[in-house]
């Protein structure tokens, strides 16, 4: 049995930023605050002891909602940021396109931008036509072309599937399939759960600067979808309640069963509300949705009260 070969090792990485709490142009005020122990800034801890490994040949997915610390993690892996604690070890040539199209000069032509970005990746002119008229989708396609020509051992792509037309999506799909066969390492950041399940063999979910789930891409994707569904339910609760305030007040639904159940388990939900009109014969209707596909499972559940 051979030892596994690691392409990227993230080892107990932590990162925080100093955010100013007050601004002062007075040297006297700054000195007084310093003597009083007032720093003038607060620490925002974005990553809190993150650890995982990406093996050579992995198509590795990184998931996380906005503000989870995902982008900061990518910039640390790409050596744009330096962590306060922990280390990141890279074995191989890494090509990182965290924000496709960022860094292009709109005053240069498309060809000139390719030369400039290619030079930054180590290409010569021999190896490599105005951009101000390019749409955002065209800029992304141009950046993606530079990325795949770099032929790095480790390629990091952030939300490449979020933009572009159908033809561009097909090209991305073809390239990903070829890269998987080549045995090279790819790290893909996306909110597209279908892409994670289609391309990735491993995935990690980052939440509030911590690793919440890691391993099988189907399990990690479902956990991400479940978290988003739960968050949206809390967010939409007040809006839904406003639709029935003429007849009902104080409606609540509490899940008494565990949040994760098998098909054979009983699901128990406690409903409570105040009925304002005694002439109304109330009933409750609800539906179930498969978070892995987004399809409804059974949409005709109703019962009289």
């Amino acid at each position: 049995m051979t030892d596994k070969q690691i392409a990227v090792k993230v080892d107990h990485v932590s990162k925080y930023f100093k955010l100013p709490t007050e601004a002062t142009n007075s040297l006297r005020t700054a000195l007084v605050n310093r003597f009083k122990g007032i720093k003038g800034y607060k620490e925002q801890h974005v990553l809190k002891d993150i650890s995982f490994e990406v093996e050579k040949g992995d198509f590795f997915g990184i998931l996380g909602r906005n503000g989870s610390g995902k982008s900061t993690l990518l910039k640390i892996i790409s050596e744009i940021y330096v962590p306060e604690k922990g280390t990141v070890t890279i074995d191989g040539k890494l090509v990182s396109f965290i924000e496709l199209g960022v860094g292009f000069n709109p005053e240069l032509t498309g060809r000139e931008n390719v030369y400039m970005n290619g030079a930054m990746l180590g290409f010569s002119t021999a190896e490599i036509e105005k951009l101000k008229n390019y749409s955002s989708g065209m800029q992304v396609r141009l950046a993606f072309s530079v990325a795949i020509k770099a032929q790095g051992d480790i390629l990091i792509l952030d939300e490449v599937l979020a933009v572009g037309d159908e033809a561009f999506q097909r090209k991305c799909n073809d390239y990903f399939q070829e890269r998987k066969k080549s045995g090279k390492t790819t790290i893909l950041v996306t909110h597209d759960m279908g892409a994670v399940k289609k391309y990735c063999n491993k995935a990690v979910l980052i939440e509030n600067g911590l690793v919440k789930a890691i391993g099988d891409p189907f399990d990690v994707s479902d956990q991400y979808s479940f978290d988003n569904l739960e968050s949206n339910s809390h967010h939409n609760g007040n809006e839904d309640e406003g639709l029935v305030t003429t007849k009902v007040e104080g409606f609540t639904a509490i899940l008494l069963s565990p949040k994760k159940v098998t098909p054979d388990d009983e699901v128990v939900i406690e409903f409570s509300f105040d009925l304002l009109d005694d002439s109304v014969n109330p009933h409750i209707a609800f539906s179930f949705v498969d978070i892995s596909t987004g399809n409804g499972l059974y949409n005709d559940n109703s019962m009289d009260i």
Side-chain angles (χ1 to χ4, degrees), residues 99-101 104 134-146 159-161 163-164 168 172:
E99 297 179 43
L100 289 177
F104 283 149
Y134 279 24
S135 67
S136 59
M138 291 172 67
Q139 291 189 35
V140 169
R141 287 194 288 272
L142 178 60
F144 187 65
S145 298
V146 176
E159 291 299 344
V160 67
L161 298 173
V163 293
F168 176 68
C172 286

Side-chain angles (χ1 to χ4, degrees), residues 77-272:
I77 294 175
S78 304
E79 299 182 333
I80 298 172
Y81 290 161
V82 176
E84 266 66 44
K85 295 181 180 178
T87 59
V88 174
T89 305
I90 307 292
D91 186 4
K93 177 187 176 183
L94 185 143
V95 176
S96 177
F97 278 77
I98 294 179
E99 297 179 43
L100 289 177
V102 172
F104 283 149
N105 187 333
E107 297 302 320
L108 300 179
T109 66
R111 179 179 294 273
E112 289 167 343
N113 272 279
V114 170
Y115 286 148
M116 180 182 68
N117 281 271
M120 294 170 64
L121 293 171
F123 290 131
S124 66
T125 303
E127 290 174 312
I128 319 281
E129 280 186 60
K130 254 187 174 163
L131 189 62
K132 64 170 60 177
N133 297 322
Y134 279 24
S135 67
S136 59
M138 291 172 67
Q139 291 189 35
V140 169
R141 287 194 288 272
L142 178 60
F144 187 65
S145 298
V146 176
I148 63 179
K149 286 297 182 182
Q151 293 295 324
D153 301 311
I154 306 164
L155 179 62
I156 297 179
L157 293 171
D158 185 9
E159 291 299 344
V160 67
L161 298 173
V163 293
D165 55 21
E166 184 178 352
F168 176 68
Q169 301 289 329
R170 286 198 301 269
K171 289 182 179 179
C172 286
N173 176 74
D174 294 342
Y175 173 71
F176 288 163
Q177 298 294 1
E178 291 177 7
R179 190 168 176 87
K180 286 178 68 175
K181 295 177 183 178
S182 72
K184 293 187 176 181
T185 308
T186 306
I187 298 177
L188 176 67
V189 178
T190 179
H191 290 97
D192 184 350
M193 298 303 97
V196 173
K197 295 176 180 179
K198 183 176 183 179
Y199 302 118
C200 298
N201 64 305
K202 296 177 186 175
V204 63
L205 173 60
I206 306 296
E207 182 178 280
N208 297 323
L210 297 167
V211 173
K212 181 168 186 179
I214 188 170
D216 181 82
F218 283 81
D219 293 340
V220 174
S221 297
D222 287 347
Q223 180 65 57
Y224 179 72
S225 299
F226 177 80
D227 292 344
N228 286 335
L229 182 64
E230 189 174 47
S231 176
N232 291 335
S233 297
H234 291 321
H235 176 71
N236 294 329
N238 292 333
E239 297 176 7
D240 294 339
E241 184 179 324
L243 298 175
V244 293
T245 51
T246 56
K247 302 295 182 180
V248 172
E249 282 186 350
F251 181 86
T252 62
I254 302 174
L255 178 65
L256 302 182
S257 305
K259 292 183 178 180
K260 293 184 178 181
V261 296
T262 69
D264 297 327
D265 292 334
E266 183 180 49
V267 177
V268 181
I269 304 174
E270 180 183 273
F271 300 100
S272 64

